[in-house]
Amino acid sequence: MLRLACVLFAALAEVARSTWTPIRPYKDPIIPGFNPDPSCTCVGDQFYCVNSSFNSFPGIPVYTSRDLTTWEPIGNVLSRPEQLPQMAQIYGSTSGIWASTIRYNNGTFYVTTALVWDKFAQDDPTRWDNLIFTTTDIYGDNWSDPIHFSPRFQGYDVSLFWDDDGSTYVQGSHAWQVSPGIWQYEIDLSNGTIWNPELLWTGTGGLAPEGPHIYKRDGYYYLLIAEGGTGLNHMVTMARSSGTIHGPYEPYAHNPVLTNANTTEYLQTVGHSDVFDDIEGNVWAVALATRNGTVDYPMGRETVLVPVVWEKDQYPLFNPYNPVRVTVDMEGPLPPPRPPLQTPDGGTLVGHSQTITFSTNTSLPRQLIYFRLPDPSRYVVAPPSHPTSLCLLGVSANLTGPDGISGTSTFIGRRQEHVEFTADVDLSFSPQQVGEEAGVTVFLQQLQHFDLGVVALNSTEERYVRLKTTTANSTDGDMKDPLSRPGLVKLPESVGDNLRLRVQAVNASTYVFSYAEQGNGKPWNVVGYGDASEVSGGFVGTIIGMYATGNGQNSTAPACFSTFSYTGVPNVY
Ligand SMILES: *[C@@H]1O[C@H](CO)[C@@H](O)[C@H](O)[C@H]1NC(C)=O
Ligand SMILES: *[C@@H]1O[C@H](CO)[C@@H](O)[C@H](O)[C@H]1NC(C)=O
Ligand SMILES: *[C@@H]1O[C@H](CO)[C@@H](O)[C@H](O)[C@H]1NC(C)=O
Ligand SMILES: *[C@@H]1O[C@H](CO)[C@@H](O)[C@H](O)[C@H]1NC(C)=O
Ligand SMILES: *[C@@H]1O[C@H](CO)[C@@H](O)[C@H](O)[C@H]1NC(C)=O
Ligand SMILES: *[C@@H]1O[C@H](CO)[C@@H](O)[C@H](O)[C@H]1NC(C)=O
Ligand SMILES: *[C@@H]1O[C@H](CO)[C@@H](O)[C@H](O)[C@H]1NC(C)=O
Ligand SMILES: *[C@@H]1O[C@H](CO)[C@@H](O)[C@H](O)[C@H]1NC(C)=O
Ligand SMILES: *[C@@H]1O[C@H](CO)[C@@H](O)[C@H](O)[C@H]1NC(C)=O
Ligand SMILES: *[C@@H]1O[C@H](CO)[C@@H](O)[C@H](O)[C@H]1NC(C)=O
Ligand SMILES: *[C@@H]1O[C@H](CO)[C@@H](O)[C@H](O)[C@H]1NC(C)=O
Ligand SMILES: CC(=O)N[C@H]1CO[C@H](CO)[C@@H](O)[C@@H]1O
């Protein structure tokens, strides 16, 4: 009973719409840090959102909110390796789980998405594996195994629509083999069978028409898509069909409905939107955006919230307060501030600071993610010898992997959600073989990361704290920017096995890497710097993590991390 569809309430609240909801200010991005391709739905008074997760595992995190400004992670659609064992073989930084859509129908939540394989040519049919996950209990990791589309849909960004006559449709962006554009199929959700393909629209001429969703309003079927590519020309455009879902779809005369292209706004690349009603009948959109400043921002594509006014028989107006644009300072008829419902693990809210401790019989917090499927035996929470630590055992590969695109190292972390932050961790590590290394990393993808590690060089008696830089263009000392320099500090023998490591984003362009001895009042020693633009770009965003590697052989000594704290500086843009 609690979970009545918002649209029902919306009909009841039609008259009251916007006449009594106060307009409140808020800041975009509403969901900061590595949150691309958002999709949301509203059920009762709760909003639920998902986004792309690429190679991260667990994948497709689900977030909930009751006021659209405080967001809490409540589970992951992809939480069991058996759901998608193919993730272990994925390679390339833009492979993995692409944009997901979340929908709710008759008691069940549906998430549709594509597992995309970079290693295949774009017209290779096996490149695209589109999937349907379902759950009736969205709290916790209770999502089904996926049903795979059959035959394969050679595209991505699939989105479900239930029509009033009981037919179910899926729209998606067709890739290159057939005509690029927005295609629609009928779908049987019980077995993934798709049939009756129709090309609905190819957009207004922008690159890569994608991210389609259909909304039915007042007898019209509105088709919303993204165009222009997920870069500076990104935009949201619309078309509609009267009376039938099959078209023809007439383009809106005033496209795009949302874009920051050709502006100098701080938020750029705005596009890939989804629209939903709140319980009072106010309409909202989410979209992705990236920040622009003197550098590219390492957090990648983040989620913005935009108020929408959608009058009868009209196309929607995105951001009536500053039409078609998204700015940092926004306003809209937000629901009253309310904390999310308490979830079983009392999860930390998105955009908040967090201190992670480890203890016996507790599971890892939802914020911690791996890169691809982990080998669980290499991540031990609170073993008897270290009852407040997470102990990592390195594999032979480092974070770059054997070739920069496949394999991975022992790694777990959480995303960067603030322009400026400090992350500290205590490390207890006594390398037993030359080359064994453990530390903290700012990780964008296998070819772009900064690693601050304790490592045995020459002999296990000689321990160093070392900053290594890997970027798509260069490794180690070959930096264009003198600030991006590696560092190497030999630890005196008087320093024991217990150190503290620190990563700080001191401003939008600079990471500072330091270590200290454990104990009160011990000073931090700077080891080196990283230029944020070296870990920017592409589809993903930075993860601040802990890692271990044997650098060519499996490690024998565990690296035990405790008290991992991430402290963000709010409201820095
Ligand atoms: C909704 O779900 C109920 C219970 O699973 C089922 O009996 C009913 O047929 C469904 N209704 C529709 C319209 O699918
Ligand atoms: C859903 O997941 C939660 C937490 O993992 C668990 O407590 C609950 O029993 C699950 N519910 C169902 C229906 O499986
Ligand atoms: C999927 O279900 C439909 C019935 O809706 C059936 O006609 C079709 O044969 C099924 N396909 C497969 C592959 O089982
Ligand atoms: C931005 O400007 C370019 C060059 O004039 C133009 O081709 C493009 O359509 C514009 N994009 C938008 C979304 O207005
Ligand atoms: C991004 O910011 C830089 C530096 O302020 C500016 O030169 C550039 O024009 C901006 N780009 C866009 C697309 O606004
Ligand atoms: C952990 O769980 C086991 C099995 O339930 C129990 O025997 C043990 O006492 C627990 N340990 C702690 C520290 O709570
Ligand atoms: C990672 O390993 C590769 C291959 O063994 C090596 O070339 C590279 O320098 C290493 N990178 C780091 C950051 O240690
Ligand atoms: C130990 O390794 C470091 C870093 O590779 C190197 O600079 C130094 O010369 C080595 N020392 C000896 C004694 O080999
Ligand atoms: C690599 O170099 C090219 C050309 O200088 C530059 O456009 C690109 O941004 C660089 N990539 C990274 C990740 O630094
Ligand atoms: C960021 O901090 C670094 C290190 O303190 C400094 O050199 C640099 O000028 C700062 N950049 C900006 C844009 O403030
Ligand atoms: C390293 O460990 C992995 C399992 O984590 C194992 O498959 C592999 O064979 C080991 N390599 C060596 C050289 O022992
Ligand atoms: C809002 C949301 O779901 N954000 C997630 C998007 O995916 C990345 C990568 O998995 C997560 O770090 C975000 O929490």
Side-chain angles (χ1 to χ4, degrees):
M1 277 309 291
L2 182 70
R3 294 175 176 176
L4 292 175
C6 290
V7 276
L8 282 181
F9 288 101
L12 297 174
E14 179 87 24
V15 182
R17 176 184 300 190
S18 299
T19 55
W20 52 278
T21 315
I23 303 302
R24 299 173 208 273
Y26 68 93
K27 299 264 192 199
D28 267 329
I30 202 86
I31 309 182
F34 185 17
N35 298 310
D37 307 324
S39 169
C40 300
T41 190
C42 173
V43 180
D45 67 350
Q46 297 272 127
F47 304 95
Y48 301 94
C49 298
V50 295
N51 64 272
S52 342
S53 54
F54 293 90
N55 292 298
S56 314
F57 182 85
I60 324 178
V62 184
Y63 282 72
T64 190
S65 176
R66 294 197 296 167
D67 61 9
L68 289 171
T69 48
T70 38
W71 291 92
E72 183 178 29
I74 56 167
N76 295 284
V77 175
L78 192 51
S79 63
R80 306 179 302 277
E82 313 83 75
Q83 282 173 295
L84 209 51
Q86 297 92 325
M87 278 204 63
Q89 287 117 46
I90 284 287
Y91 60 81
S93 70
T94 53
S95 286
I97 297 288
W98 282 21
S100 307
T101 296
I102 185 167
R103 292 292 181 257
Y104 176 80
N105 185 253
N106 191 27
T108 298
F109 288 90
Y110 296 80
V111 164
T112 45
T113 192
L115 180 73
V116 182
W117 296 71
D118 251 2
K119 68 173 174 176
F120 299 125
Q122 289 182 334
D123 62 355
D124 184 327
T126 61
R127 184 173 190 233
W128 315 98
D129 188 0
N130 281 277
L131 309 166
I132 308 159
F133 297 88
T134 59
T135 187
T136 53
D137 179 6
I138 200 168
Y139 289 88
D141 296 333
N142 299 313
W143 291 82
S144 69
D145 289 343
I147 291 171
H148 299 251
F149 280 35
S150 173
R152 282 175 187 262
F153 170 61
Q154 287 174 46
Y156 56 99
D157 288 1
V158 284
S159 174
L160 295 176
F161 181 82
W162 289 263
D163 209 349
D164 297 330
D165 67 0
S167 306
T168 309
Y169 297 90
V170 62
Q171 297 80 37
S173 177
H174 223 301
W176 293 261
Q177 197 171 48
V178 194
S179 303
I182 306 306
W183 285 72
Q184 174 172 276
Y185 292 73
E186 280 194 73
I187 186 166
D188 184 325
L189 293 172
S190 70
N191 62 20
T193 300
I194 55 172
W195 69 96
N196 192 17
E198 300 174 272
L199 177 62
L200 297 187
W201 194 34
T202 55
T204 65
L207 187 72
E210 59 191 12
H213 300 297
I214 281 192
Y215 312 99
K216 189 175 183 182
R217 296 240 169 186
D218 311 315
Y220 287 101
Y221 293 82
Y222 288 87
L223 174 60
L224 172 148
I225 74 168
E227 286 184 60
T230 185
L232 291 177
N233 293 319
H234 212 196
M235 58 184 169
V236 180
T237 58
M238 292 186 79
R240 73 181 181 188
S241 165
S242 179
T244 163
I245 196 169
H246 303 288
Y249 281 83
E250 299 290 339
Y252 181 37
H254 304 292
N255 277 322
V257 293
L258 181 68
T259 189
N260 274 5
N262 300 328
T263 71
T264 54
E265 292 294 344
Y266 173 76
L267 296 172
Q268 289 287 325
T269 74
V270 174
H272 201 108
S273 182
D274 194 7
V275 175
F276 53 96
D277 292 352
D278 73 17
I279 195 169
E280 290 178 359
N282 296 304
V283 187
W284 297 93
V286 283
L288 72 79
T290 53
R291 302 167 193 243
N292 179 42
T294 51
V295 295
D296 294 330
Y297 277 85
M299 284 180 280
R301 303 178 299 162
E302 308 179 59
T303 294
V304 295
L305 176 73
V306 184
V308 173
V309 171
W310 202 335
E311 302 292 351
K312 190 171 187 300
D313 296 335
Q314 306 289 308
Y315 280 87
L317 174 60
F318 284 65
N319 196 7
Y321 310 97
N322 185 1
V324 189
R325 303 280 184 239
V326 182
T327 52
V328 169
D329 290 300
M330 297 287 285
E331 55 182 336
L334 285 178
R338 286 185 302 172
L341 297 176
Q342 189 66 28
T343 62
D345 69 353
T348 299
L349 302 178
V350 174
H352 285 226
S353 298
Q354 181 177 32
T355 298
I356 299 174
T357 55
F358 306 96
S359 58
T360 315
N361 294 355
T362 57
S363 52
L364 294 172
R366 297 198 187 291
Q367 285 77 10
L368 290 182
I369 49 182
Y370 305 95
F371 189 73
R372 302 206 183 94
L373 298 184
D375 171 355
S377 70
R378 296 188 171 275
Y379 302 81
V380 180
V381 179
S385 60
H386 291 87
T388 60
S389 296
L390 168 64
C391 294
L392 305 187
L393 193 58
V395 288
S396 62
N398 61 28
L399 287 167
T400 306
D403 54 9
I405 51 172
S406 72
T408 190
S409 186
T410 306
F411 162 80
I412 188 166
R414 56 154 286 151
R415 72 192 177 288
Q416 178 179 351
E417 291 179 335
H418 300 80
V419 172
E420 296 178 11
F421 72 89
T422 299
D424 292 343
V425 73
D426 292 352
L427 171 63
S428 173
F429 179 50
S430 176
Q432 298 299 305
Q433 301 175 142
V434 171
E436 283 187 4
E437 175 181 350
V440 292
T441 178
V442 176
F443 183 87
L444 183 77
Q445 50 117 337
Q446 284 170 276
L447 288 168
Q448 290 174 276
H449 48 96
F450 298 118
D451 312 333
L452 176 70
V454 174
V455 58
L457 297 174
N458 315 325
S459 91
T460 54
E461 307 305 311
E462 290 187 32
R463 288 176 306 135
Y464 293 79
V465 179
R466 177 175 68 177
L467 177 65
K468 284 194 94 173
T469 303
T470 303
T471 77
N473 287 338
S474 51
T475 53
D476 299 327
D478 189 24
M479 291 293 101
K480 297 179 296 289
D481 181 339
L483 263 183
S484 265
R485 62 176 165 77
L488 190 64
V489 176
K490 188 173 180 195
L491 289 171
E493 274 174 40
S494 60
V495 175
D497 293 340
N498 300 318
L499 288 180
R500 307 188 69 196
L501 299 176
R502 167 173 282 185
V503 181
Q504 237 179 333
V506 293
N507 56 40
S509 50
T510 306
Y511 294 101
V512 178
F513 298 85
S514 321
Y515 79 96
E517 292 180 52
Q518 287 181 17
N520 280 338
K522 300 288 188 182
W524 288 98
N525 308 286
V526 173
V527 181
Y529 301 86
D531 179 342
S533 62
E534 304 278 10
V535 287
S536 298
F539 288 177
V540 292
T542 40
I543 301 171
I544 312 304
M546 300 163 271
Y547 73 95
T549 173
N551 281 312
Q553 59 194 332
N554 286 339
S555 298
T556 55
C560 294
F561 295 87
S562 53
T563 320
F564 177 66
S565 71
Y566 170 93
T567 308
V569 182
N571 297 324
V572 175
Y573 294 93

